[in-house]
Amino acid sequence: MHIITEQQINAFKKFIDSYDNFIVVGHKEPDGDCISSCLAIATLLNKKGKSYQLVSAGPFKRPEIKVYENMFAKEAIILQTEKKQGIIILDCGEFSRVGDIFPSGEHPETLNIPTFVIDHHKTSLFDPNCSIIDSTAPATVCIVQQLYEKLEGIPSKETSEYLFFGLATDTGYFRFLDEKSKNVFMAAARLVEYGVNPRQIYDKMTSGKPFSSRKLLGIMLDKAEQYFDGKLVITYETMEDTKKYGFDGRDSDSLYQLLLASVDVEAVVFIRQETEQSCTMGFRSKDQIDVSEIAVKFGGGGHKNAAGCSTPGIINNLIPKVIKEFENLF
């Protein structure tokens, strides 16, 4: 993880000093890093005496973030007064992933509201002159923590818990970090110094899963098939599966963990039929397999070892297309 520069810190400080009110938003279908980044930035704005709106298109599908849902509005309020307004987008690589949170389905670029982006995705499409984007950071909260410490000093215990939770969820409780992660562990250690209890955060991450999600996990494992001498595994969830086992408490993280732990497996693809005409796809990999390259081909993006997309199509048609794209990686 890179340490953010004085130039980047000053650019963000100038941005928040320039406006009175902020719309703070992350990507649709938020995860722990997205929500935690938004909450931590909100506390920073509050410290600076700024007003803000926390906004998320949702849905809040993950059990570990359900407790925060009521803190986020579904639609942003565009101020029509002389008050200056800005938008801060967190953990989101492109405008399309923000979702329909603006009146009439508009986006920040069409509303003419100044926007600053903080993100860690390799495939982020935002202007580097009005953003801080570090693909070496394992979570967006890593960037947010640095900004908070530089601009405000030691965060409160509550804010520190937001930051640690976001880091823990996006790194699989540090399982995805490697020998280049010294700065990340040092940042996590500081959060513990600020009052975070790591065991409590782990319990928050892993508990509260509905029994139906365990049943659905078994179905996904049963459907899994191997390709390229076992190096690639693809599994899927139909609309019938979703209807039977519910929309909440999905546990794709456990699915990826179990499959990637199998002998010879280097990449896993999970396809979910969201509507009659569209699917979401999740990609995970080990070591040198860059699944973000595959996700981009289907209109998505992400990190080298974790990416995703929403794409038109049905499962049976998408599987052979996915297999074809992986031919060049194995």
Side-chain angles (χ1 to χ4, degrees):
M1 178 183 74
H2 295 147
I3 302 299
I4 56 177
T5 66
E6 287 297 321
Q7 182 179 359
Q8 290 173 316
I9 294 166
N10 290 334
F12 182 67
K13 183 179 184 301
K14 181 179 179 181
F15 184 80
I16 60 176
D17 286 345
S18 299
Y19 306 99
D20 302 317
N21 178 274
F22 293 87
I23 297 167
V24 179
V25 63
H27 56 78
K28 57 187 176 182
E29 290 200 32
D31 56 12
D33 183 30
C34 176
I35 292 301
S36 297
S37 296
C38 290
L39 291 170
I41 283 293
T43 62
L44 176 60
L45 292 173
N46 187 57
K47 283 279 189 179
K48 296 296 184 184
K50 304 291 182 176
S51 59
Y52 59 86
Q53 309 166 43
L54 283 167
V55 185
S56 176
F60 284 65
K61 296 178 180 178
R62 298 169 182 259
E64 65 270 22
I65 62 170
K66 273 285 187 182
V67 66
Y68 301 118
E69 185 170 9
N70 291 337
M71 300 173 69
F72 289 77
K74 296 292 184 184
E75 185 174 286
I77 299 172
I78 308 301
L79 299 183
Q80 302 299 326
T81 67
E82 292 183 359
K83 269 194 167 184
K84 295 181 179 179
Q85 189 173 37
I87 299 173
I88 301 176
I89 298 178
L90 293 136
D91 197 38
C92 185
E94 57 270 354
F95 282 123
S96 61
R97 290 207 66 213
V98 171
D100 296 328
I101 65 159
F102 297 101
S104 305
E106 293 188 86
H107 288 286
E109 52 193 341
T110 61
L111 288 168
N112 246 354
I113 302 176
T115 301
F116 198 96
V117 177
I118 303 173
D119 186 31
H120 74 128
H121 290 95
K122 177 183 176 183
T123 54
S124 187
L125 303 176
F126 289 111
D127 183 352
N129 295 316
C130 52
S131 63
I132 301 176
I133 299 169
D134 179 13
S135 62
T136 70
T140 298
V141 289
C142 293
I143 305 169
V144 173
Q145 180 181 347
Q146 293 179 71
L147 286 170
Y148 197 109
E149 290 171 330
K150 291 291 186 180
L151 296 177
E152 199 57 41
I154 296 176
S156 67
K157 180 182 177 182
E158 181 181 42
T159 302
S160 298
E161 287 172 343
Y162 293 151
L163 294 166
F164 196 98
F165 178 72
L167 175 60
T169 53
D170 238 32
T171 62
Y173 211 80
F174 308 102
R175 287 183 293 112
F176 306 144
L177 300 180
D178 58 21
E179 73 279 3
K180 300 175 184 177
S181 303
K182 174 184 175 182
N183 290 332
V184 181
F185 282 106
M186 290 176 67
R190 292 198 301 274
L191 294 175
V192 174
E193 288 181 353
Y194 304 154
V196 171
N197 184 322
R199 184 172 63 184
Q200 289 180 355
I201 298 296
Y202 181 80
D203 289 343
K204 182 178 177 180
M205 280 177 56
T206 57
S207 62
K209 301 289 193 298
F211 183 71
S212 59
S213 71
R214 310 296 92 181
K215 299 283 285 185
L216 182 58
L217 182 59
I219 297 295
M220 301 303 99
L221 291 171
D222 187 55
K223 292 180 177 179
E225 296 290 345
Q226 292 182 287
Y227 305 88
F228 303 111
D229 297 322
K231 295 178 182 178
L232 172 66
V233 173
I234 301 178
T235 188
Y236 58 90
E237 177 184 328
T238 66
M239 294 178 69
E240 290 74 21
D241 294 329
T242 306
K243 183 177 180 180
K244 182 175 181 180
Y245 294 104
F247 294 85
D248 297 326
R250 292 166 169 171
D251 197 12
S252 53
D253 291 340
S254 292
L255 176 67
Y256 295 129
Q257 183 180 351
L258 287 167
L259 292 175
L260 284 172
S262 303
V263 175
D264 297 325
V265 176
E266 296 182 25
V268 173
V269 181
F270 174 40
I271 306 174
R272 178 184 291 121
Q273 192 77 49
E274 297 285 358
T275 71
E276 297 286 353
Q277 296 85 29
S278 66
C279 291
T280 55
M281 293 198 289
F283 303 83
R284 297 293 186 274
S285 65
K286 296 191 293 190
D287 304 325
Q288 300 305 311
I289 302 299
D290 189 344
V291 289
S292 70
E293 295 180 0
I294 306 295
V296 166
K297 300 287 182 64
F298 293 94
H303 309 289
K304 177 180 177 182
N305 300 125
C309 68
S310 296
T311 187
I314 61 174
I315 292 169
N316 289 341
N317 291 342
L318 286 172
I319 288 176
K321 293 179 181 179
V322 169
I323 294 170
K324 183 173 178 59
E325 293 298 337
F326 271 94
E327 284 180 354
N328 297 326
L329 297 183
F330 295 124

PDB file of all heavy atoms in Angstrom, residues 162-190:
ATOM      1  N   TYR A 162     -15.147   1.564  12.564  1.00  0.00           N
ATOM      2  CA  TYR A 162     -15.574   1.600  11.157  1.00  0.00           C
ATOM      3  C   TYR A 162     -14.403   1.214  10.248  1.00  0.00           C
ATOM      4  O   TYR A 162     -14.538   0.375   9.345  1.00  0.00           O
ATOM      5  CB  TYR A 162     -16.041   2.996  10.753  1.00  0.00           C
ATOM      6  CG  TYR A 162     -17.303   3.495  11.407  1.00  0.00           C
ATOM      7  CD1 TYR A 162     -17.501   4.862  11.611  1.00  0.00           C
ATOM      8  CD2 TYR A 162     -18.319   2.624  11.811  1.00  0.00           C
ATOM      9  CE1 TYR A 162     -18.661   5.347  12.200  1.00  0.00           C
ATOM     10  CE2 TYR A 162     -19.483   3.102  12.401  1.00  0.00           C
ATOM     11  CZ  TYR A 162     -19.647   4.466  12.597  1.00  0.00           C
ATOM     12  OH  TYR A 162     -20.791   4.947  13.174  1.00  0.00           O
ATOM     13  N   LEU A 163     -13.254   1.838  10.480  1.00  0.00           N
ATOM     14  CA  LEU A 163     -12.090   1.638   9.620  1.00  0.00           C
ATOM     15  C   LEU A 163     -11.578   0.204   9.697  1.00  0.00           C
ATOM     16  O   LEU A 163     -11.262  -0.418   8.671  1.00  0.00           O
ATOM     17  CB  LEU A 163     -10.981   2.623  10.012  1.00  0.00           C
ATOM     18  CG  LEU A 163     -11.299   4.105   9.759  1.00  0.00           C
ATOM     19  CD1 LEU A 163     -10.302   5.005  10.479  1.00  0.00           C
ATOM     20  CD2 LEU A 163     -11.318   4.411   8.263  1.00  0.00           C
ATOM     21  N   PHE A 164     -11.487  -0.340  10.903  1.00  0.00           N
ATOM     22  CA  PHE A 164     -10.998  -1.714  11.065  1.00  0.00           C
ATOM     23  C   PHE A 164     -11.966  -2.706  10.436  1.00  0.00           C
ATOM     24  O   PHE A 164     -11.549  -3.675   9.772  1.00  0.00           O
ATOM     25  CB  PHE A 164     -10.810  -2.032  12.555  1.00  0.00           C
ATOM     26  CG  PHE A 164      -9.975  -3.257  12.808  1.00  0.00           C
ATOM     27  CD1 PHE A 164      -8.627  -3.144  13.115  1.00  0.00           C
ATOM     28  CD2 PHE A 164     -10.534  -4.533  12.753  1.00  0.00           C
ATOM     29  CE1 PHE A 164      -7.847  -4.281  13.350  1.00  0.00           C
ATOM     30  CE2 PHE A 164      -9.767  -5.661  12.989  1.00  0.00           C
ATOM     31  CZ  PHE A 164      -8.425  -5.543  13.285  1.00  0.00           C
ATOM     32  N   PHE A 165     -13.257  -2.465  10.604  1.00  0.00           N
ATOM     33  CA  PHE A 165     -14.276  -3.342  10.020  1.00  0.00           C
ATOM     34  C   PHE A 165     -14.169  -3.359   8.494  1.00  0.00           C
ATOM     35  O   PHE A 165     -14.222  -4.422   7.867  1.00  0.00           O
ATOM     36  CB  PHE A 165     -15.663  -2.860  10.453  1.00  0.00           C
ATOM     37  CG  PHE A 165     -16.803  -3.652   9.877  1.00  0.00           C
ATOM     38  CD1 PHE A 165     -17.067  -4.945  10.306  1.00  0.00           C
ATOM     39  CD2 PHE A 165     -17.632  -3.102   8.904  1.00  0.00           C
ATOM     40  CE1 PHE A 165     -18.129  -5.674   9.781  1.00  0.00           C
ATOM     41  CE2 PHE A 165     -18.694  -3.818   8.370  1.00  0.00           C
ATOM     42  CZ  PHE A 165     -18.940  -5.112   8.814  1.00  0.00           C
ATOM     43  N   GLY A 166     -14.017  -2.189   7.886  1.00  0.00           N
ATOM     44  CA  GLY A 166     -13.874  -2.126   6.431  1.00  0.00           C
ATOM     45  C   GLY A 166     -12.635  -2.847   5.941  1.00  0.00           C
ATOM     46  O   GLY A 166     -12.665  -3.562   4.934  1.00  0.00           O
ATOM     47  N   LEU A 167     -11.526  -2.675   6.657  1.00  0.00           N
ATOM     48  CA  LEU A 167     -10.285  -3.355   6.294  1.00  0.00           C
ATOM     49  C   LEU A 167     -10.427  -4.862   6.450  1.00  0.00           C
ATOM     50  O   LEU A 167     -10.026  -5.638   5.573  1.00  0.00           O
ATOM     51  CB  LEU A 167      -9.139  -2.838   7.171  1.00  0.00           C
ATOM     52  CG  LEU A 167      -7.786  -3.530   7.018  1.00  0.00           C
ATOM     53  CD1 LEU A 167      -7.275  -3.410   5.594  1.00  0.00           C
ATOM     54  CD2 LEU A 167      -6.780  -2.954   8.013  1.00  0.00           C
ATOM     55  N   ALA A 168     -11.020  -5.285   7.557  1.00  0.00           N
ATOM     56  CA  ALA A 168     -11.161  -6.715   7.824  1.00  0.00           C
ATOM     57  C   ALA A 168     -12.056  -7.402   6.800  1.00  0.00           C
ATOM     58  O   ALA A 168     -11.753  -8.508   6.331  1.00  0.00           O
ATOM     59  CB  ALA A 168     -11.710  -6.929   9.236  1.00  0.00           C
ATOM     60  N   THR A 169     -13.156  -6.759   6.429  1.00  0.00           N
ATOM     61  CA  THR A 169     -14.074  -7.395   5.478  1.00  0.00           C
ATOM     62  C   THR A 169     -13.476  -7.479   4.080  1.00  0.00           C
ATOM     63  O   THR A 169     -13.665  -8.475   3.383  1.00  0.00           O
ATOM     64  CB  THR A 169     -15.414  -6.639   5.417  1.00  0.00           C
ATOM     65  OG1 THR A 169     -15.178  -5.243   5.157  1.00  0.00           O
ATOM     66  CG2 THR A 169     -16.186  -6.780   6.711  1.00  0.00           C
ATOM     67  N   ASP A 170     -12.730  -6.460   3.660  1.00  0.00           N
ATOM     68  CA  ASP A 170     -12.199  -6.466   2.295  1.00  0.00           C
ATOM     69  C   ASP A 170     -10.944  -7.308   2.150  1.00  0.00           C
ATOM     70  O   ASP A 170     -10.524  -7.602   1.028  1.00  0.00           O
ATOM     71  CB  ASP A 170     -11.923  -5.038   1.828  1.00  0.00           C
ATOM     72  CG  ASP A 170     -12.701  -4.684   0.566  1.00  0.00           C
ATOM     73  OD1 ASP A 170     -13.818  -5.192   0.394  1.00  0.00           O
ATOM     74  OD2 ASP A 170     -12.188  -3.894  -0.263  1.00  0.00           O
ATOM     75  N   THR A 171     -10.324  -7.682   3.256  1.00  0.00           N
ATOM     76  CA  THR A 171      -9.121  -8.522   3.186  1.00  0.00           C
ATOM     77  C   THR A 171      -9.381  -9.943   3.676  1.00  0.00           C
ATOM     78  O   THR A 171      -8.428 -10.714   3.851  1.00  0.00           O
ATOM     79  CB  THR A 171      -7.977  -7.915   4.036  1.00  0.00           C
ATOM     80  OG1 THR A 171      -8.385  -7.858   5.413  1.00  0.00           O
ATOM     81  CG2 THR A 171      -7.604  -6.527   3.547  1.00  0.00           C
ATOM     82  N   GLY A 172     -10.664 -10.305   3.864  1.00  0.00           N
ATOM     83  CA  GLY A 172     -10.950 -11.633   4.400  1.00  0.00           C
ATOM     84  C   GLY A 172     -10.294 -11.835   5.750  1.00  0.00           C
ATOM     85  O   GLY A 172      -9.718 -12.883   6.033  1.00  0.00           O
ATOM     86  N   TYR A 173     -10.410 -10.821   6.596  1.00  0.00           N
ATOM     87  CA  TYR A 173      -9.731 -10.766   7.881  1.00  0.00           C
ATOM     88  C   TYR A 173      -8.234 -11.054   7.708  1.00  0.00           C
ATOM     89  O   TYR A 173      -7.656 -11.940   8.329  1.00  0.00           O
ATOM     90  CB  TYR A 173     -10.351 -11.709   8.918  1.00  0.00           C
ATOM     91  CG  TYR A 173     -10.205 -11.153  10.325  1.00  0.00           C
ATOM     92  CD1 TYR A 173     -11.064 -10.174  10.782  1.00  0.00           C
ATOM     93  CD2 TYR A 173      -9.190 -11.578  11.152  1.00  0.00           C
ATOM     94  CE1 TYR A 173     -10.918  -9.634  12.052  1.00  0.00           C
ATOM     95  CE2 TYR A 173      -9.032 -11.040  12.423  1.00  0.00           C
ATOM     96  CZ  TYR A 173      -9.892 -10.063  12.869  1.00  0.00           C
ATOM     97  OH  TYR A 173      -9.739  -9.522  14.125  1.00  0.00           O
ATOM     98  N   PHE A 174      -7.637 -10.261   6.788  1.00  0.00           N
ATOM     99  CA  PHE A 174      -6.200 -10.210   6.530  1.00  0.00           C
ATOM    100  C   PHE A 174      -5.660 -11.419   5.763  1.00  0.00           C
ATOM    101  O   PHE A 174      -4.454 -11.515   5.536  1.00  0.00           O
ATOM    102  CB  PHE A 174      -5.411 -10.030   7.840  1.00  0.00           C
ATOM    103  CG  PHE A 174      -5.897  -8.866   8.663  1.00  0.00           C
ATOM    104  CD1 PHE A 174      -6.698  -9.063   9.776  1.00  0.00           C
ATOM    105  CD2 PHE A 174      -5.584  -7.569   8.305  1.00  0.00           C
ATOM    106  CE1 PHE A 174      -7.173  -7.991  10.522  1.00  0.00           C
ATOM    107  CE2 PHE A 174      -6.054  -6.484   9.038  1.00  0.00           C
ATOM    108  CZ  PHE A 174      -6.855  -6.697  10.145  1.00  0.00           C
ATOM    109  N   ARG A 175      -6.536 -12.328   5.308  1.00  0.00           N
ATOM    110  CA  ARG A 175      -6.074 -13.509   4.577  1.00  0.00           C
ATOM    111  C   ARG A 175      -5.503 -13.162   3.207  1.00  0.00           C
ATOM    112  O   ARG A 175      -4.694 -13.917   2.655  1.00  0.00           O
ATOM    113  CB  ARG A 175      -7.220 -14.510   4.395  1.00  0.00           C
ATOM    114  CG  ARG A 175      -7.621 -15.254   5.661  1.00  0.00           C
ATOM    115  CD  ARG A 175      -8.715 -16.275   5.395  1.00  0.00           C
ATOM    116  NE  ARG A 175      -9.966 -15.645   5.019  1.00  0.00           N
ATOM    117  CZ  ARG A 175     -10.522 -15.709   3.824  1.00  0.00           C
ATOM    118  NH1 ARG A 175      -9.928 -16.381   2.855  1.00  0.00           N
ATOM    119  NH2 ARG A 175     -11.675 -15.115   3.572  1.00  0.00           N
ATOM    120  N   PHE A 176      -5.929 -12.041   2.622  1.00  0.00           N
ATOM    121  CA  PHE A 176      -5.517 -11.711   1.262  1.00  0.00           C
ATOM    122  C   PHE A 176      -4.261 -10.842   1.208  1.00  0.00           C
ATOM    123  O   PHE A 176      -3.828 -10.451   0.132  1.00  0.00           O
ATOM    124  CB  PHE A 176      -6.647 -10.983   0.532  1.00  0.00           C
ATOM    125  CG  PHE A 176      -7.958 -11.727   0.548  1.00  0.00           C
ATOM    126  CD1 PHE A 176      -9.161 -11.043   0.634  1.00  0.00           C
ATOM    127  CD2 PHE A 176      -8.000 -13.119   0.495  1.00  0.00           C
ATOM    128  CE1 PHE A 176     -10.371 -11.716   0.649  1.00  0.00           C
ATOM    129  CE2 PHE A 176      -9.199 -13.803   0.520  1.00  0.00           C
ATOM    130  CZ  PHE A 176     -10.388 -13.108   0.596  1.00  0.00           C
ATOM    131  N   LEU A 177      -3.677 -10.532   2.354  1.00  0.00           N
ATOM    132  CA  LEU A 177      -2.496  -9.682   2.382  1.00  0.00           C
ATOM    133  C   LEU A 177      -1.223 -10.500   2.200  1.00  0.00           C
ATOM    134  O   LEU A 177      -1.179 -11.679   2.547  1.00  0.00           O
ATOM    135  CB  LEU A 177      -2.441  -8.910   3.700  1.00  0.00           C
ATOM    136  CG  LEU A 177      -3.640  -7.988   3.968  1.00  0.00           C
ATOM    137  CD1 LEU A 177      -3.467  -7.276   5.298  1.00  0.00           C
ATOM    138  CD2 LEU A 177      -3.824  -6.979   2.842  1.00  0.00           C
ATOM    139  N   ASP A 178      -0.200  -9.847   1.672  1.00  0.00           N
ATOM    140  CA  ASP A 178       1.055 -10.554   1.406  1.00  0.00           C
ATOM    141  C   ASP A 178       2.225  -9.850   2.083  1.00  0.00           C
ATOM    142  O   ASP A 178       2.039  -8.991   2.949  1.00  0.00           O
ATOM    143  CB  ASP A 178       1.288 -10.691  -0.102  1.00  0.00           C
ATOM    144  CG  ASP A 178       1.317  -9.330  -0.811  1.00  0.00           C
ATOM    145  OD1 ASP A 178       1.557  -8.305  -0.132  1.00  0.00           O
ATOM    146  OD2 ASP A 178       1.105  -9.291  -2.036  1.00  0.00           O
ATOM    147  N   GLU A 179       3.440 -10.187   1.640  1.00  0.00           N
ATOM    148  CA  GLU A 179       4.652  -9.663   2.285  1.00  0.00           C
ATOM    149  C   GLU A 179       4.852  -8.165   2.028  1.00  0.00           C
ATOM    150  O   GLU A 179       5.708  -7.529   2.663  1.00  0.00           O
ATOM    151  CB  GLU A 179       5.884 -10.448   1.799  1.00  0.00           C
ATOM    152  CG  GLU A 179       6.326 -10.162   0.373  1.00  0.00           C
ATOM    153  CD  GLU A 179       5.513 -10.927  -0.676  1.00  0.00           C
ATOM    154  OE1 GLU A 179       4.560 -11.628  -0.275  1.00  0.00           O
ATOM    155  OE2 GLU A 179       5.824 -10.811  -1.875  1.00  0.00           O
ATOM    156  N   LYS A 180       4.063  -7.585   1.121  1.00  0.00           N
ATOM    157  CA  LYS A 180       4.174  -6.152   0.828  1.00  0.00           C
ATOM    158  C   LYS A 180       3.202  -5.315   1.666  1.00  0.00           C
ATOM    159  O   LYS A 180       3.010  -4.132   1.391  1.00  0.00           O
ATOM    160  CB  LYS A 180       3.902  -5.913  -0.661  1.00  0.00           C
ATOM    161  CG  LYS A 180       4.863  -6.636  -1.584  1.00  0.00           C
ATOM    162  CD  LYS A 180       4.461  -6.450  -3.042  1.00  0.00           C
ATOM    163  CE  LYS A 180       5.358  -7.246  -3.974  1.00  0.00           C
ATOM    164  NZ  LYS A 180       4.940  -7.130  -5.397  1.00  0.00           N
ATOM    165  N   SER A 181       2.620  -5.919   2.665  1.00  0.00           N
ATOM    166  CA  SER A 181       1.525  -5.281   3.404  1.00  0.00           C
ATOM    167  C   SER A 181       1.927  -4.671   4.740  1.00  0.00           C
ATOM    168  O   SER A 181       1.090  -4.482   5.621  1.00  0.00           O
ATOM    169  CB  SER A 181       0.408  -6.309   3.628  1.00  0.00           C
ATOM    170  OG  SER A 181      -0.047  -6.844   2.405  1.00  0.00           O
ATOM    171  N   LYS A 182       3.193  -4.343   4.878  1.00  0.00           N
ATOM    172  CA  LYS A 182       3.675  -3.785   6.142  1.00  0.00           C
ATOM    173  C   LYS A 182       2.876  -2.553   6.554  1.00  0.00           C
ATOM    174  O   LYS A 182       2.444  -2.430   7.713  1.00  0.00           O
ATOM    175  CB  LYS A 182       5.160  -3.429   6.017  1.00  0.00           C
ATOM    176  CG  LYS A 182       5.724  -2.699   7.231  1.00  0.00           C
ATOM    177  CD  LYS A 182       7.175  -2.287   6.996  1.00  0.00           C
ATOM    178  CE  LYS A 182       7.696  -1.447   8.154  1.00  0.00           C
ATOM    179  NZ  LYS A 182       9.097  -1.007   7.918  1.00  0.00           N
ATOM    180  N   ASN A 183       2.654  -1.627   5.620  1.00  0.00           N
ATOM    181  CA  ASN A 183       1.945  -0.386   5.949  1.00  0.00           C
ATOM    182  C   ASN A 183       0.498  -0.652   6.378  1.00  0.00           C
ATOM    183  O   ASN A 183      -0.044   0.070   7.220  1.00  0.00           O
ATOM    184  CB  ASN A 183       1.957   0.562   4.756  1.00  0.00           C
ATOM    185  CG  ASN A 183       3.334   1.136   4.483  1.00  0.00           C
ATOM    186  OD1 ASN A 183       4.149   1.275   5.390  1.00  0.00           O
ATOM    187  ND2 ASN A 183       3.607   1.463   3.225  1.00  0.00           N
ATOM    188  N   VAL A 184      -0.093  -1.695   5.799  1.00  0.00           N
ATOM    189  CA  VAL A 184      -1.478  -2.038   6.149  1.00  0.00           C
ATOM    190  C   VAL A 184      -1.552  -2.540   7.581  1.00  0.00           C
ATOM    191  O   VAL A 184      -2.416  -2.127   8.366  1.00  0.00           O
ATOM    192  CB  VAL A 184      -2.033  -3.102   5.183  1.00  0.00           C
ATOM    193  CG1 VAL A 184      -3.488  -3.429   5.531  1.00  0.00           C
ATOM    194  CG2 VAL A 184      -1.933  -2.626   3.739  1.00  0.00           C
ATOM    195  N   PHE A 185      -0.636  -3.432   7.954  1.00  0.00           N
ATOM    196  CA  PHE A 185      -0.636  -3.963   9.312  1.00  0.00           C
ATOM    197  C   PHE A 185      -0.299  -2.879  10.337  1.00  0.00           C
ATOM    198  O   PHE A 185      -0.835  -2.873  11.446  1.00  0.00           O
ATOM    199  CB  PHE A 185       0.340  -5.137   9.427  1.00  0.00           C
ATOM    200  CG  PHE A 185      -0.188  -6.420   8.856  1.00  0.00           C
ATOM    201  CD1 PHE A 185       0.275  -6.918   7.649  1.00  0.00           C
ATOM    202  CD2 PHE A 185      -1.170  -7.130   9.527  1.00  0.00           C
ATOM    203  CE1 PHE A 185      -0.227  -8.100   7.119  1.00  0.00           C
ATOM    204  CE2 PHE A 185      -1.674  -8.321   9.009  1.00  0.00           C
ATOM    205  CZ  PHE A 185      -1.204  -8.803   7.799  1.00  0.00           C
ATOM    206  N   MET A 186       0.563  -1.954   9.956  1.00  0.00           N
ATOM    207  CA  MET A 186       0.884  -0.847  10.852  1.00  0.00           C
ATOM    208  C   MET A 186      -0.345   0.036  11.075  1.00  0.00           C
ATOM    209  O   MET A 186      -0.605   0.487  12.200  1.00  0.00           O
ATOM    210  CB  MET A 186       2.047  -0.030  10.287  1.00  0.00           C
ATOM    211  CG  MET A 186       3.381  -0.757  10.312  1.00  0.00           C
ATOM    212  SD  MET A 186       4.725   0.177   9.538  1.00  0.00           S
ATOM    213  CE  MET A 186       4.891   1.540  10.687  1.00  0.00           C
ATOM    214  N   ALA A 187      -1.104   0.259  10.008  1.00  0.00           N
ATOM    215  CA  ALA A 187      -2.337   1.048  10.124  1.00  0.00           C
ATOM    216  C   ALA A 187      -3.352   0.327  11.004  1.00  0.00           C
ATOM    217  O   ALA A 187      -4.027   0.944  11.846  1.00  0.00           O
ATOM    218  CB  ALA A 187      -2.921   1.314   8.738  1.00  0.00           C
ATOM    219  N   ALA A 188      -3.479  -0.999  10.826  1.00  0.00           N
ATOM    220  CA  ALA A 188      -4.401  -1.787  11.651  1.00  0.00           C
ATOM    221  C   ALA A 188      -3.980  -1.747  13.114  1.00  0.00           C
ATOM    222  O   ALA A 188      -4.825  -1.651  14.023  1.00  0.00           O
ATOM    223  CB  ALA A 188      -4.449  -3.227  11.152  1.00  0.00           C
ATOM    224  N   ALA A 189      -2.672  -1.799  13.363  1.00  0.00           N
ATOM    225  CA  ALA A 189      -2.172  -1.743  14.736  1.00  0.00           C
ATOM    226  C   ALA A 189      -2.526  -0.408  15.392  1.00  0.00           C
ATOM    227  O   ALA A 189      -2.862  -0.358  16.583  1.00  0.00           O
ATOM    228  CB  ALA A 189      -0.661  -1.960  14.757  1.00  0.00           C
ATOM    229  N   ARG A 190      -2.464   0.669  14.619  1.00  0.00           N
ATOM    230  CA  ARG A 190      -2.836   1.971  15.170  1.00  0.00           C
ATOM    231  C   ARG A 190      -4.309   1.982  15.573  1.00  0.00           C
ATOM    232  O   ARG A 190      -4.682   2.550  16.608  1.00  0.00           O
ATOM    233  CB  ARG A 190      -2.558   3.090  14.160  1.00  0.00           C
ATOM    234  CG  ARG A 190      -1.091   3.329  13.883  1.00  0.00           C
ATOM    235  CD  ARG A 190      -0.834   4.674  13.240  1.00  0.00           C
ATOM    236  NE  ARG A 190      -1.528   4.861  11.979  1.00  0.00           N
ATOM    237  CZ  ARG A 190      -1.067   4.473  10.788  1.00  0.00           C
ATOM    238  NH1 ARG A 190       0.095   3.833  10.718  1.00  0.00           N
ATOM    239  NH2 ARG A 190      -1.750   4.693   9.682  1.00  0.00           N
TER     240      ARG A 190
END
